[in-house]
């Protein structure tokens, strides 16, 4: 079946042992109707030859940024414009690091900089290299820039180690390409998302807040656009770049977030309350900085309850969006999540245990269980971008049901 008929895929191969799988990958892509242009790094040619890739692709392999014949016609720019999708497989730790810093010191990294086509990255490396904080931060950077991260898989590696870092198998990558070019399940839908913390002022220089980084909400916004939705992101104070094609509104306090959400909720099909909103705020805000006094070791601040944003949206009688909440818990996760689901009249709630190290607040990874009235779905530990895509696919299924 020609599921990729007419699609132009630029396959970028870097220097890892998984490069040997690229001949099979290319053949399978072409079987499904794709045109495949191969670009190789010098290191990649140590694992599989350009002649092999030329034979299976039916096209000359490009491997040099300084090829006079190609560059006479600005060949690297033409390649960058040609592709419907740039697929980097295998993407080694070195290639990922160079892309993260914006280098263009060979043909492949130059193409990555020069293209406005979507880019998919399939990591492949030793498990310890993959787990290294530098690699994790580099991958997170690419994800924030809108690149798709496909994999890695876990299992036995060529070096004998066992763990994450294996490139996805050729047919798995073919399936990802088919999904990428397939129907967008949220096409025509509008999504309103809240993200990050709120800050509740005590005086002009102090505030009460929490540890939310906003990464999960921003990942949801990015994934929603990739699935075809138009997205409005209402964000508390965070240090994150706005995802491509997302309309961002910055707010500070819970009250300002509440007002912004209520102004926009009825014009959206889906509302996802991912922000870590403060439950309470100081009853009064001091006009001047509160000074420490020598005659008292204590300070009392009277707190009042903030409006419940997600419950207020769920209570709308007219033009109510499909409403999804988040529950960050430290114990009895399912009990508290289902209680909130029912009490707040939500369509779905995503719950995670933030007491577990390596997931939740300030982490690049998360593990979530999605609950709805008569079911649930467990999403095991993965990058927040991967978790976000799975959450949105689950929402799309419920909307279509």
């Amino acid at each position: 079946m020609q599921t990729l008929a007419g699609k132009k895929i630029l396959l970028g191969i870097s220097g890892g042992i998984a490069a040997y799988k690229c001949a099979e990958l290319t053949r399978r892509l072409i079987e499904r109707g794709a045109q495949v242009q191969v670009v190789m790094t010098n290191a990649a040619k140590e694992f599989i030859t350009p002649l092999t890739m030329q034979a299976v692709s039916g096209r000359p392999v490009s491997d040099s940024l300084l090829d006079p014949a190609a560059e006479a016609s600005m060949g690297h720019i033409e390649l960058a414009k040609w592709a419907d999708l740039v697929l980097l497989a295998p993407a080694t730790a070195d290639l990922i690091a160079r892309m993260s810093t914006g280098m263009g010191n060979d043909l492949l990294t130059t193409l990555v900089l020069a293209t406005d086509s979507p880019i998919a990255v399939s990591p492949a490396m030793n498990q310890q290299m993959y787990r290294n904080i530098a690699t994790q931060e580099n991958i997170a950077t690419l994800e924030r820039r809108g690149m798709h991260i496909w994999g890695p898989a876990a299992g036995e590696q060529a070096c004998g180690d066992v763990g994450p870092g294996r490139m996805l198998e050729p047919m798995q990558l073919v399936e990802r390409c088919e999904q990428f070019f397939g129907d967008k399940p949220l096409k025509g839908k509008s999504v309103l998302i809240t993200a990050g913390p709120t800050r509740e002022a005590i005086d002009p220089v102090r505030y009460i807040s929490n540890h939310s980084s906003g990464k999960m909400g921003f990942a949801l916004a990015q994934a929603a656009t990739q699935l075809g939705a138009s997205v409005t992101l209402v964000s508390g104070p965070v240090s994150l770049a706005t995802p491509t094609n997302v309309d961002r509104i910055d707010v500070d306090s819970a009250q300002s977030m509440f007002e912004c959400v209520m102004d926009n909720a009825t014009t959206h099909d889906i509302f996802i309350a991912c922000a870590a909103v403060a439950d309470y705020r100081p009853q009064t805000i001091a006009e001047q900085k509160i000074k420490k006094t020598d005659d008292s070791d204590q300070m009392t601040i009277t707190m009042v309850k903030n409006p419940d944003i997600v419950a207020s949206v769920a209570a709308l009688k007219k033009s109510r969006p499909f409403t999804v909440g988040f529950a960050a818990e430290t114990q009895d996760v399912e009990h508290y999540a289902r209680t909130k689901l029912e009490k707040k009249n939500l369509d779905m709630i995503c719950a995670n245990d933030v007491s577990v190290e390596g997931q939740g607040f300030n982490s690049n990874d998360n593990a979530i269980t999605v609950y709805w009235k008569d079911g649930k779905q467990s999403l095991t530990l993965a990058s927040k971008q991967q978790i976000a895509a799975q959450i949105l696919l689950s929402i799309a299924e419920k909307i279509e049901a």
Side-chain angles (χ1 to χ4, degrees):
M1 184 176 179
Q2 298 281 290
T3 52
L4 297 173
K7 302 302 181 185
K8 299 174 181 178
I9 299 176
L10 192 154
L11 176 61
I13 307 174
S14 59
I17 186 60
Y20 82 90
K21 299 180 181 180
C22 289
E24 174 73 4
L25 172 59
T26 301
R27 186 170 71 87
R28 295 300 186 184
L29 289 170
I30 292 173
E31 278 181 353
R32 284 155 178 77
Q35 300 175 47
V36 180
Q37 173 64 56
V38 176
V39 175
M40 302 178 70
T41 66
N42 286 331
K45 294 186 289 185
E46 299 295 325
F47 293 91
I48 189 169
T49 68
L51 183 60
T52 297
M53 296 311 304
Q54 178 176 312
V56 294
S57 69
R59 292 171 175 269
V61 171
S62 299
D63 57 12
S64 175
L65 180 61
L66 303 176
D67 180 352
E71 292 313 302
S73 60
M74 298 300 286
H76 67 285
I77 299 298
E78 291 304 313
L79 277 177
K81 293 179 178 178
W82 175 84
D84 295 315
L85 173 68
V86 177
L87 172 58
L88 306 176
T92 60
D94 174 74
L95 176 62
I96 289 169
R98 289 190 289 126
M99 290 194 300
S100 175
T101 58
M103 294 179 69
N105 58 343
D106 62 8
L107 178 58
L108 186 53
T109 52
T110 299
L111 289 172
V112 169
L113 291 174
T115 190
D116 61 0
S117 300
I119 299 172
V121 180
S122 183
M125 64 200 73
N126 167 266
Q127 55 86 24
Q128 192 60 47
M129 294 173 68
Y130 175 72
R131 289 188 169 113
N132 188 284
I133 189 171
T135 301
Q136 289 299 305
E137 290 178 352
N138 289 336
I139 290 174
T141 296
L142 299 186
E143 287 179 313
R144 286 194 299 270
R145 293 174 184 167
M147 295 188 191
H148 305 267
I149 307 299
W150 292 352
E156 186 174 351
Q157 301 183 316
C159 60
D161 285 0
V162 176
R166 288 174 57 92
M167 187 179 89
L168 296 183
E169 294 301 319
M171 281 308 301
Q172 290 177 303
L173 289 173
V174 170
E175 289 169 2
R176 293 294 184 99
C177 290
E178 290 173 328
Q179 292 169 6
F180 175 82
F181 287 114
D183 293 335
K184 304 293 186 183
L186 292 177
K187 185 177 181 179
K189 300 295 184 182
S190 55
V191 184
L192 178 64
I193 301 170
T194 62
T198 61
R199 290 177 177 174
E200 311 306 320
I202 297 173
D203 63 22
V205 299
R206 299 184 181 92
Y207 57 82
I208 298 170
S209 190
N210 57 62
H211 295 293
S212 174
S213 64
K215 291 178 181 178
M216 190 70 239
F218 276 61
L220 285 163
Q222 178 183 311
T225 61
Q226 292 171 350
L227 292 173
S230 60
V231 179
T232 301
L233 176 64
V234 180
S235 176
V238 298
S239 300
L240 297 173
T242 305
T244 304
N245 298 321
V246 169
D247 182 16
R248 175 173 170 177
I249 304 172
D250 289 318
V251 296
D252 193 67
S253 66
Q255 183 64 37
S256 60
M257 182 174 284
F258 171 75
E259 292 170 0
C260 182
V261 167
M262 298 311 292
D263 285 343
N264 288 276
T266 57
T267 60
H268 289 76
D269 301 300
I270 301 165
F271 172 58
I272 305 175
C274 189
V277 182
D279 293 326
Y280 293 86
R281 68 182 185 275
Q283 186 175 40
T284 59
I285 303 172
E287 293 184 1
Q288 303 297 330
K289 178 183 176 182
I290 299 171
K291 297 294 185 179
K292 181 173 63 176
T293 60
D294 294 333
D295 58 354
S296 177
D297 292 331
Q298 296 181 338
M299 181 174 70
T300 300
I301 300 175
T302 301
M303 307 288 284
V304 295
K305 188 176 289 187
N306 273 321
D308 191 320
I309 298 175
V310 70
S312 298
V313 173
L316 290 170
K317 301 299 182 184
K318 185 178 180 181
S319 301
R320 175 190 182 277
F322 185 92
T323 305
V324 181
F326 265 71
E329 305 291 350
T330 57
Q331 61 180 336
D332 298 332
V333 174
E334 181 164 1
H335 169 71
Y336 286 118
R338 288 203 174 277
T339 298
K340 288 181 180 179
L341 179 72
E342 182 177 355
K343 182 179 179 181
K344 299 187 180 187
N345 190 34
L346 308 181
D347 298 295
M348 182 182 289
I349 192 165
C350 306
N352 65 324
D353 187 343
V354 293
S355 68
V356 177
E357 187 177 353
Q359 66 183 52
F361 286 157
N362 286 310
S363 172
N364 292 324
D365 299 325
N366 213 346
I368 276 178
T369 302
V370 182
Y371 298 95
W372 54 95
K373 184 177 180 180
D374 55 357
K376 68 178 182 179
Q377 178 185 9
S378 295
L379 307 178
T380 56
L381 187 67
S383 74
K384 287 183 174 177
Q385 283 71 23
Q386 291 171 307
I387 293 291
Q390 293 179 72
I391 290 171
L392 286 159
L393 289 172
S394 183
I395 292 171
E397 289 177 2
K398 297 297 178 295
I399 290 175
E400 294 298 323

